[in-house]
Amino acid sequence: DEIVALLNDYFEMMVEVLFQYNGTLDKYVGDEVMALFGVPIENPDAAAAAVLCAVEMQRALVEFNQTREADGQPAVHAGIGVNTGEVVYGAIGSSKAIQYTVIGDAVNTASRLCSLAKPNEVICSETTMALVKGLVTAVELPKVRVKGKQGELTTFSITGLVDGSKPPELIQERTHPS
């Protein structure tokens, strides 16, 4: 019951932030929120919306944890991965169960980035970073190999916003993947 209540509170907060940035909730995968930007309604600023949403999610999580800790409950931490690329989207499934979703290499890469992200960290791909360079500050991470990709990926850990603000607990200084 406690875990269900925690997840419901967590998802409520995350989805509220997602909708503020015009994201689409794709699905919940365990304790993960899979979010989409730029589909089904095209948005030329989808990458920026996704990264700014991720940063705001980390800010909201800080406030969420302050409330939890004041109630004597442990903090919750999440890592977020953001990737930009072409996807196939639509109603996918069988005649018995169908859902709107996205598939493709860009989706798989985003999932791998999420797995790489440390608690309180937002990691983005090189393709995303190229589109948000003027909005955020970031540290380039050492190249990494991930399942399903040939060669190594260049990734970035978001450290703040170009306006100089640094979201609380967004990132511990990071120079290498774990």
Side-chain angles (χ1 to χ4, degrees):
D1 288 344
E2 288 178 37
I3 290 175
V4 169
L6 165 62
L7 286 173
N8 286 336
D9 290 345
Y10 173 77
F11 289 145
E12 186 72 30
M13 178 226 10
M14 289 296 191
V15 171
E16 181 68 29
V17 173
L18 174 64
F19 289 168
Q20 288 173 8
Y21 286 86
N22 297 314
T24 299
L25 174 63
D26 183 310
K27 66 181 86 135
Y28 303 111
V29 182
D31 62 355
E32 176 183 320
V33 175
M34 184 171 162
L36 312 174
F37 293 83
V39 291
I41 299 168
E42 191 172 332
N43 176 358
D45 297 321
V51 170
L52 293 174
C53 179
V55 169
E56 184 59 31
M57 284 177 162
Q58 291 293 11
R59 284 186 191 183
L61 192 54
V62 169
E63 292 175 18
F64 180 77
N65 283 329
Q66 289 170 345
T67 301
R68 285 186 55 77
E69 290 170 345
D71 291 339
Q73 299 171 325
V76 175
H77 301 282
I80 300 175
V82 181
N83 186 41
T84 303
E86 290 190 26
V87 298
V88 174
Y89 65 94
I92 299 172
S94 74
S95 62
K96 302 213 182 337
I98 197 162
Q99 76 177 52
Y100 177 88
T101 194
V102 292
I103 58 173
D105 182 60
V107 178
N108 296 338
T109 300
S111 177
R112 301 300 182 261
L113 295 178
C114 191
S115 297
L116 290 173
K118 288 185 173 187
N120 309 320
E121 183 174 43
V122 175
I123 290 182
C124 70
S125 65
E126 186 172 25
T127 54
T128 300
M129 190 64 199
L131 296 169
V132 300
K133 209 171 245 183
L135 295 174
V136 298
T137 57
V139 173
E140 183 174 343
L141 301 173
K143 295 189 182 305
V144 294
R145 287 192 156 298
V146 296
K147 180 180 171 185
K149 298 291 283 183
Q150 285 189 341
E152 297 179 317
L153 293 179
T154 299
T155 59
F156 297 83
S157 181
I158 305 299
T159 56
L161 303 177
V162 166
D163 69 6
S165 63
K166 183 172 183 176
E169 295 185 33
L170 179 59
I171 173 130
Q172 313 86 21
E173 290 303 314
R174 176 168 170 166
T175 57
H176 59 82
S178 57

